[in-house]
Amino acid sequence: MEPNKAQKKQPNFLKRLALFLLALAVALGAVAAVAFRDSLSLDSLRRWFQYRFLALNDSGQAESFRYDGDLGDCFAVLDGDLLVCSGNSISLYSGSGIQYVNESVTMSSPVVSINGSLAVVYDAGGSSLYILGQRSLLWSVENMDSILSARLNRNGQLTVVTQPSGYRSAVTVYDTTYIPVMSVNLSSTFAMDAALSDNGRTLSIVTVGQESGVFSTTLSLYSMDYANGSYTPDVTCPLGSSVILETKHTPSAVWTLGDQGLGITNHQGDTTTVAWSDRYLRRYALGGDGFSAVLLGRYRAGNQGELWVVDDTGAHRTLELNEQVLSISAAGRYLAVLTNNRLDIYTNQLELYASLEGTQGNRVVLLMNNGSAILISDGQAHFYVP
């Protein structure tokens, strides 16, 4: 009888031991997830999958490669690749320097705008416009009226502001096959910028004019009702006398950044304003998810500055900086700050995420949604993967 009892107890013991080891592994995993929540995040997995074939040194830097152009060109990140736009070419490079796009163009003032995995490049004041994605040129046109602005939303729909004959400006919305589906002609005001919301339901137009002899800026919101051929704004919001430098349009709000402050306007017309009229705007980055960043200074010159991170409620966090900032960039939940000899990457809570020393010679930083960055010097670029 005794041997049979031992045989019955042994499976129970092994079962309890297995359950104990499983519970211990779960507990250790939970502790590790809390202690290393940044380095073991989904973003680190995304970085590994995206750049697993890219040779990196111990600090996370890839070998530099040469690009066609100089620091006076326009740079952007397009779906993990480096996009370089100059007056005579549009180029796209992988992290190892493989050139996927080399398009000859003729532009006087090239501008690039990115949204998701697509980019629009246009000649400001000219007639040429190009759409890129999937590591290729997808669509182009070279006979538009004078282009003032062009933007894509997350769905790939295109919004273009032009200056046609007979009107002060016109705003045209194109579908994902680049066929016009809506046009707003303005005869009494000038449109500075326009953007379709990421869900494609609301069009925002920023216009400038005069009221009682005073310069004024206005944000108008239009419902995307394609069946209606005569378009009037559903909501009109005065933005004061601030000069609007940049806009972005999320599914629920329009962000308008000016020289005096940042406005966040929902589709009902309610505006939250963050003002910095007592400071000078030096640099800005609107590419973050649910936040934007501005670098402000109390004086026009000098190295002392304040880095503000503003969330979608208008609340902001501040970081004091006492060194010259060469470039800032925001993407995903990250913010990058490049100084003379160091790159610092922060979270949107201004918590330091990663640092890279010895960045002398680099003048531009471009950040990606997964926290990786591209550092650009005169004629050369390289990827940094934390």
Side-chain angles (χ1 to χ4, degrees):
M1 295 295 294
E2 294 301 325
N4 290 337
K5 289 182 179 181
Q7 291 175 0
K8 291 180 180 179
K9 289 180 179 179
Q10 186 175 10
N12 290 333
F13 170 75
L14 293 176
K15 183 178 180 180
R16 288 196 299 271
L17 179 61
L19 291 174
F20 171 76
L21 293 175
L22 178 61
L24 181 62
V26 171
L28 291 175
V31 171
V34 173
F36 306 103
R37 59 185 179 276
D38 285 331
S39 60
L40 296 180
S41 65
L42 289 176
D43 289 333
S44 63
L45 293 177
R46 294 188 185 101
R47 290 195 296 267
W48 184 85
F49 278 110
Q50 187 161 8
Y51 300 116
R52 63 188 183 276
F53 300 119
L54 190 62
L56 305 173
N57 62 20
D58 292 340
S59 64
Q61 297 181 81
E63 286 291 329
S64 63
F65 59 88
R66 296 201 61 82
Y67 63 86
D68 293 332
D70 54 43
L71 288 173
D73 296 337
C74 297
F75 303 95
V77 176
L78 177 55
D79 208 18
D81 296 325
L82 173 62
L83 179 62
V84 183
C85 305
S86 68
N88 52 32
S89 68
I90 299 174
S91 302
L92 187 69
Y93 300 89
S94 71
S96 58
I98 298 174
Q99 190 173 27
Y100 291 105
V101 174
N102 184 17
E103 184 74 17
S104 295
V105 298
T106 302
M107 294 187 288
S108 299
S109 302
V111 180
V112 58
S113 179
I114 304 287
N115 201 338
S117 59
L118 294 174
V120 54
V121 181
Y122 64 95
D123 187 13
S127 59
S128 302
L129 183 146
Y130 308 87
I131 304 291
L132 293 96
Q134 303 170 21
R135 290 180 166 173
S136 63
L137 178 65
L138 300 178
W139 185 72
S140 66
V141 59
E142 297 182 352
N143 59 353
M144 280 191 167
D145 293 318
S146 180
I147 303 171
L148 304 179
S149 169
R151 296 189 182 276
L152 292 159
N153 72 350
R154 290 279 177 175
N155 297 332
Q157 296 163 288
L158 174 68
T159 305
V160 183
V161 180
T162 58
Q163 198 168 15
S165 176
Y167 295 94
R168 292 195 171 183
S169 53
V171 178
T172 304
V173 178
Y174 299 77
D175 64 17
T176 55
T177 62
Y178 312 114
I179 296 175
V181 295
M182 174 185 180
S183 185
V184 179
N185 296 316
L186 303 173
S187 57
S188 59
T189 57
F190 291 97
M192 296 176 61
D193 203 354
L196 190 63
S197 61
D198 280 337
N199 57 17
R201 298 176 182 174
T202 306
L203 173 68
S204 66
I205 301 178
V206 177
T207 59
V208 292
Q210 285 189 345
E211 291 185 5
S212 302
V214 179
F215 173 85
S216 63
T217 305
T218 302
L219 172 66
S220 299
L221 300 176
Y222 296 76
S223 174
M224 289 297 293
D225 181 7
Y226 297 142
N228 181 8
S230 177
Y231 297 101
T232 57
D234 299 293
V235 177
T236 301
C237 309
L239 299 179
S241 59
S242 179
V243 177
I244 302 302
L245 304 173
E246 188 73 40
T247 64
K248 74 173 180 179
H249 200 165
T250 68
S252 59
V254 182
W255 299 58
T256 50
L257 183 137
D259 58 337
Q260 301 172 16
L262 174 67
I264 306 171
T265 305
N266 63 25
H267 289 163
Q268 289 72 48
D270 303 316
T271 301
T272 300
T273 302
V274 181
W276 49 74
S277 56
D278 59 337
R279 292 170 173 82
Y280 296 97
L281 178 65
R282 293 179 178 174
R283 301 185 183 278
Y284 58 85
L286 268 64
D289 289 346
F291 78 96
S292 294
V294 292
L295 178 66
L296 307 173
R298 294 188 180 276
Y299 309 99
R300 288 186 181 275
N303 292 336
Q304 289 186 332
E306 295 179 355
L307 185 65
W308 288 18
V309 170
V310 184
D311 67 20
D312 52 11
T313 68
H316 71 272
R317 297 173 183 268
T318 304
L319 178 66
E320 297 284 343
L321 298 174
N322 294 307
E323 50 192 326
Q324 183 183 10
V325 176
L326 304 176
S327 176
I328 67 173
S329 179
R333 67 184 188 100
Y334 302 101
L335 170 66
V337 179
L338 178 66
T339 58
N340 281 319
N341 59 3
R342 192 177 72 255
L343 169 67
D344 289 326
I345 298 177
Y346 299 89
T347 69
N348 54 7
Q349 303 300 309
L350 278 180
E351 299 169 345
L352 186 62
Y353 181 76
S355 287
L356 176 65
E357 301 286 344
T359 59
Q360 294 91 339
N362 293 289
R363 291 294 179 267
V364 178
V365 61
L366 301 173
L367 201 54
M368 288 169 266
N369 288 341
N370 61 22
S372 301
I374 304 175
L375 290 168
I376 300 172
S377 61
D378 192 7
Q380 290 192 322
H382 66 270
F383 282 56
Y384 166 59
V385 183

